[in-house]
Amino acid sequence: MIVDCAIYRDGHRTAGPEDLSDALAEARAAHGFVWIGLHEPSGNEVDHVTEEFGLHPLAVEDALKAHQRPKLEVYDDSLFLVLKPVVYEPNSDAVSTGEVMLFLGDSFVVTVRHGEGSPLSAVRRRLEQEPEMLGKGPTSVLYAVADAVVDHYLDVATELQTDLEELEAEVFSPDGGSRHTASRIYTFKRQILEFRRATGPLAVPVSRLAGVGAFGGAVPFVNDRARPFFRDVSDHLTRVNESVEGLDRLVSDILSAHLAQMSVRQNNDMRKISAWAAMAAIPTMIAGIYGMNFDHMPELRWVWSYPALIGLMAALEVGVYRLFKSRGWL
């Protein structure tokens, strides 16, 4: 579905073209650019845009199928960038991802969005309120979209940090958490992995756009004067990736601590069971001996045999109980 189509000249929006086939020609004639927004487009819609803007078929195939890793591809007539916005669901404490793909040319920007996360209408409205920024051409759209996606990463990382602190408090509580704690920790680790798949691979594309690192260099269709802006995006992304790494290590440590606590509790339970079994063995042994009913047994016909044996068993039980108690088994 074509969500929006507009031509921008000198940072200001002008009337959109009636026919998509005239959009690029009108934009070039006005020394501006055209921005077309698509949301989960059909094959026919993508074919129409591809024909008018000369998009590379491999990039178009990726845009249709979605489920791509964040990446930056440079073709003869366009630039192709894949971003994975992340959405945090506060009701379920779950992380879900969508996809935003950008085709960038000399006078056009085509954005393709999959999923409900990170709608670009807010980015478009914000840019339209900054004519100076929008006047820098298609590069301004590329920066604004990447900046919005990465800034939202920071918000999601903060929410996950709060969830991790709650999980940590549950694990180290006096009762050591419930029987569902281990599954909650594992589910949280899966959320971190999903988040990491969106943020980790994006580091190289953003570094290329910023012109830093081993992959830095001139990128076609991107204004060199925009590099400081992309360096800011790169700094934010680095903070996010460091936060994700820290979350992943902490949740692994919490899982190890929870399993260790479970092992300690099981050992304590086994010691208590063993102690009570040892205490039960004393009267069982004595009663077993005098229950054999032999004719010739010591004290068998003695009047005080029964109370003496009961007293002996009680004394032994008290002694063994105090021994186990002093050693912390009971």
Side-chain angles (χ1 to χ4, degrees):
M1 177 176 63
I2 298 179
V3 178
D4 200 354
C5 177
I7 294 176
Y8 296 90
R9 179 182 182 183
D10 296 329
H12 296 279
R13 179 172 181 150
T14 61
E18 296 180 359
D19 188 355
L20 189 60
S21 60
D22 299 329
L24 186 57
E26 292 183 22
R28 286 174 174 168
H31 301 287
F33 69 95
V34 59
W35 181 1
I36 298 175
L38 305 174
H39 179 222
E40 297 183 355
S42 64
N44 292 333
E45 291 173 332
V46 173
D47 290 341
H48 185 37
V49 174
T50 300
E51 182 181 353
E52 297 301 330
F53 293 91
L55 306 179
H56 198 279
L58 291 178
V60 172
E61 182 181 358
D62 290 343
L64 271 176
K65 291 183 177 179
H67 303 294
Q68 303 295 318
R69 285 167 54 90
K71 63 180 180 178
L72 177 66
E73 299 286 351
V74 178
Y75 299 102
D76 294 335
D77 300 323
S78 62
L79 190 72
F80 180 61
L81 176 66
V82 178
L83 302 169
K84 294 185 75 69
V86 175
V87 178
Y88 177 80
E89 302 291 345
N91 294 330
S92 58
D93 295 337
V95 170
S96 60
T97 58
E99 287 191 34
V100 173
M101 305 174 182
L102 295 96
F103 295 89
L104 193 75
D106 58 345
S107 301
F108 68 88
V109 178
V110 178
T111 56
V112 181
R113 183 167 61 90
H114 292 270
E116 297 300 325
S118 187
L120 300 181
S121 56
V123 177
R124 188 188 288 262
R125 287 194 301 269
R126 180 167 59 84
L127 270 178
E128 291 176 352
Q129 294 174 0
E130 301 178 10
E132 184 178 353
M133 174 66 72
L134 197 55
K136 299 183 184 297
T139 303
S140 63
V141 178
L142 182 66
Y143 160 72
V145 174
D147 184 58
V149 170
V150 173
D151 282 349
H152 192 62
Y153 287 164
L154 292 170
D155 297 335
V156 173
T158 301
E159 295 289 348
L160 290 176
Q161 180 67 42
T162 301
D163 289 346
L164 182 62
E165 291 173 358
E166 294 175 355
L167 196 59
E168 187 176 22
E170 178 181 342
V171 169
F172 291 103
S173 62
D175 58 358
S178 65
R179 58 190 181 95
H180 301 293
T181 301
S183 62
R184 285 192 58 199
I185 296 174
Y186 179 76
T187 301
F188 187 83
K189 192 170 181 63
R190 290 293 302 269
Q191 305 300 325
I192 297 298
L193 178 61
E194 185 73 15
F195 192 21
R196 196 174 188 175
R197 287 173 178 169
T199 63
L202 187 58
V204 173
V206 173
S207 296
R208 289 183 63 185
L209 294 171
V212 296
F215 300 96
V219 179
F221 310 109
V222 176
N223 195 325
D224 289 340
R225 290 178 296 179
R227 286 189 173 185
F229 296 94
F230 286 109
R231 282 199 291 270
D232 182 66
V233 176
S234 180
D235 290 341
H236 290 177
L237 184 61
T238 300
R239 287 173 51 194
V240 171
N241 283 326
E242 290 175 352
S243 178
V244 172
E245 290 288 342
L247 289 172
D248 187 56
R249 288 195 298 268
L250 281 174
V251 74
S252 297
D253 293 342
I254 289 175
L255 179 59
S256 299
H258 177 64
L259 295 177
Q261 284 184 330
M262 290 181 60
S263 178
V264 169
R265 286 199 299 269
Q266 289 176 349
N267 288 337
N268 289 335
D269 293 340
M270 288 302 299
R271 285 194 303 178
K272 291 179 180 180
I273 294 172
S274 299
W276 286 112
M279 292 175 63
I282 294 174
T284 302
M285 179 190 68
I286 296 176
I289 292 174
Y290 283 89
M292 292 186 292
N293 296 323
F294 291 120
D295 288 335
H296 303 286
M297 292 184 66
E299 299 91 22
L300 190 61
R301 301 186 181 280
W302 185 33
V303 176
W304 296 100
S305 295
Y306 177 75
L309 289 176
I310 294 298
L312 176 62
M313 288 189 287
L316 291 175
E317 290 292 316
V318 171
V320 172
Y321 177 83
R322 296 185 65 178
L323 175 64
F324 288 148
K325 190 71 173 178
S326 64
R327 295 186 178 184
W329 284 40
L330 290 175

